[in-house]
Amino acid sequence: MNQQELLNDYRENLLGVFGDPSLVLTSGKGATVTDADGRTYVDLLGGIAVNALGYGHPVWVEAVSRQAGRLGHVSNFFTTPEQVSLADKLLNITGAPSSGKVFFTNSGTEANEAALKLVRSHGNSATPAKKRILALDHGFHGRTAGALAATSKEAYRTPFEPLPGGVDFVEPTTEALEAAFDDDVAGLILEPIQGEAGVHPLPEGFLAAARRLTREHAALLVVDEVQTGMGRTGRWLASQDVLTGEQAPDVVTLAKSLGGGFPIGAMLVMTPEATRVLGPGNHGTTFGGNPLAMAAGLATIQVIEDEGLLERARTVGQGLRDGLAPIDGVAEVRGEGLLIGIDLDLSQFSTDAPAPAVVSEARDRGFIINATGPATLRLAPPLVIEGAHIDAFLEALPTILDAVRSV
């Protein structure tokens, strides 16, 4: 079947919650993918910050294949060497205190669900009970009911209300956060860089203020590193420079790049205040911690370490941002490492929403990017992306923008 025939079958057989896909992808190598008609694209989105190692990395393929032939699933009545090893590795590379523990999930939204349950249980055990959870305006934490309750975007929330209550949204400024805190707050959940909002880093000093305020009010600090973690920003955690040692967050959630393309999530419970909250029977998952996901996670970390991909994300990302900034039609470039947001200069376009058209034009010219807003683009390429691919995109982007301007 060709691409159009497959797309027609997709519309016939799959629930349209994602809208119509633009391509049918059949294979990939490194930072490129190929569609069902044989056309190849440079993937500058990386499965939305998932495919840290790109496609078909031999170490990752060998590790997952070997594990598939050995053991694919066991129930959580048991554990496996891979599960124990990955938990130990995660606690080590993230600088977790000795009190740190790990709970494995299958996705980022599940990791955040677990974290929110932990916060709620912490609040309910206090005297008097703490009934409020704080989340940030413009934040995104997932699509399941609990995670959605902490996600601020009205378009995501409204069709499913009433959502679980007790969540108050705060503008991401230190002043607003200080005003919102009181002793009835059970916890605060935040992203160090708000990815779905257009790759907006939190203001200088915000993370330190969040740690101080949660400590002062006996609340838990949850840092959602689902999109920013595991090397995406050139560090294992985007928050690692500020929230470390005695200032470590109570909970960190991970997913996306952690599995290098295999579904996996994790809740890292860092502090003694947090590790004592949940006990046997309080939470669970059938597939979380399965051996295949654990093998994928271990292989991903191994490649990031062996190939120096943290440093590479920093240097390549800086070069990409430096190359984007002077392009005519680009108003602002934000981000860290290989998580980059680009605001377009609306004065140069005939529409207030040029970003989707730029995405379409870029795809027609062999580049996969995405729009997080009417005038905002996001790049999150594999950490292994080659300089030639970045150079090609920087060379093509002015022509892409010119094509959209002329419409």
Side-chain angles (χ1 to χ4, degrees):
M1 298 177 72
N2 64 28
Q3 182 154 258
Q4 192 55 57
E5 290 169 335
L6 288 164
L7 290 172
N8 290 340
D9 275 9
Y10 180 99
R11 295 185 191 101
E12 178 100 11
N13 297 318
L14 280 90
L15 192 65
V17 296
F18 301 112
D20 286 344
S22 56
L23 299 171
V24 178
L25 299 179
T26 59
S27 63
K29 183 69 174 176
T32 64
V33 290
T34 302
D35 70 16
D37 289 342
R39 188 177 181 198
T40 297
Y41 306 80
V42 175
D43 184 3
L44 291 158
L45 185 58
I48 313 182
V50 168
N51 297 317
L53 310 184
Y55 301 87
H57 194 288
V59 172
W60 187 93
V61 170
E62 197 278 331
V64 174
S65 300
R66 182 177 65 246
Q67 186 61 51
R70 179 185 296 159
L71 198 63
H73 174 76
V74 299
S75 79
N76 285 311
F77 291 120
F78 313 101
T79 190
T80 63
E82 293 76 23
Q83 189 180 76
V84 174
S85 295
L86 183 55
D88 181 71
K89 190 67 176 178
L90 284 174
L91 294 170
N92 180 262
I93 63 176
T94 59
S98 60
S99 55
K101 307 285 185 184
V102 179
F103 175 79
F104 286 113
T105 68
N106 307 287
S107 66
T109 192
E110 291 175 67
N112 285 331
E113 287 276 345
L116 291 165
K117 282 182 67 176
L118 189 151
V119 168
R120 187 65 75 201
S121 181
H122 164 74
N124 287 338
S125 67
T127 306
K130 297 169 169 286
K131 294 298 185 182
R132 294 170 64 215
I133 294 175
L134 300 182
L136 300 186
D137 286 344
H138 321 297
F140 179 87
H141 301 290
R143 302 277 195 156
T144 51
L148 185 58
T151 293
S152 70
K153 191 171 182 177
E154 287 298 326
Y156 293 162
R157 297 167 54 85
T158 300
F160 307 105
E161 292 176 339
L163 293 166
V167 179
D168 293 335
F169 292 100
V170 181
E171 186 66 24
T173 68
T174 301
E175 295 76 15
L177 189 65
E178 289 177 339
F181 252 96
D182 207 337
D183 287 340
D184 63 350
V185 173
L188 165 66
I189 184 168
L190 57 83
E191 304 159 274
I193 300 174
Q194 295 185 317
E196 296 297 315
V199 191
H200 287 273
L202 294 178
E204 184 75 23
F206 190 94
L207 289 176
R211 179 69 288 186
R212 173 178 58 81
L213 288 164
T214 48
R215 286 264 168 82
E216 288 176 359
H217 295 280
L220 299 183
L221 175 60
V222 178
V223 179
D224 177 347
E225 296 252 16
V226 167
Q227 187 164 163
T228 54
M230 301 310 297
R232 175 56 48 190
T233 65
R235 301 184 295 278
W236 290 115
L237 301 176
S239 62
Q240 210 161 6
D241 288 350
V242 177
L243 300 177
T244 189
E246 293 184 356
Q247 300 305 310
D250 298 289
V251 179
V252 172
T253 56
L254 298 169
K256 289 192 180 283
S257 291
L258 174 56
F262 200 96
I264 182 176
M267 175 177 69
L268 277 57
V269 187
M270 307 287 243
T271 62
E273 294 84 356
T275 55
R276 60 174 172 247
V277 174
L278 298 180
N282 288 149
H283 196 54
T285 171
T286 296
F287 295 105
N290 73 83
L292 284 170
M294 301 299 96
L298 286 166
T300 300
I301 293 171
Q302 178 188 336
V303 173
I304 291 173
E305 290 183 325
D306 290 351
E307 298 187 7
L309 296 185
L310 297 183
E311 174 63 23
R312 194 167 193 283
R314 293 193 293 271
T315 57
V316 173
Q318 186 64 60
L320 179 51
R321 294 194 300 278
D322 290 346
L324 289 165
I327 291 176
D328 189 31
V330 171
E332 183 180 7
V333 179
R334 297 178 298 275
E336 296 182 27
L338 284 168
L339 181 61
I340 298 171
I342 307 165
D343 283 348
L344 301 175
D345 182 354
L346 286 176
S347 70
Q348 299 192 17
F349 299 91
S350 60
T351 173
D352 290 336
V358 172
V359 170
S360 179
E361 184 69 24
R363 186 173 61 247
D364 288 346
R365 295 175 184 268
F367 300 95
I368 294 176
I369 61 178
N370 94 306
T372 61
T376 302
L377 306 171
R378 174 175 51 180
L379 308 180
L383 306 186
V384 297
I385 191 166
E386 297 175 12
H389 292 142
I390 288 175
D391 292 342
F393 177 67
L394 291 174
E395 182 179 349
L397 185 57
T399 305
I400 292 168
L401 297 179
D402 282 343
V404 175
R405 284 191 196 95
S406 67
V407 174

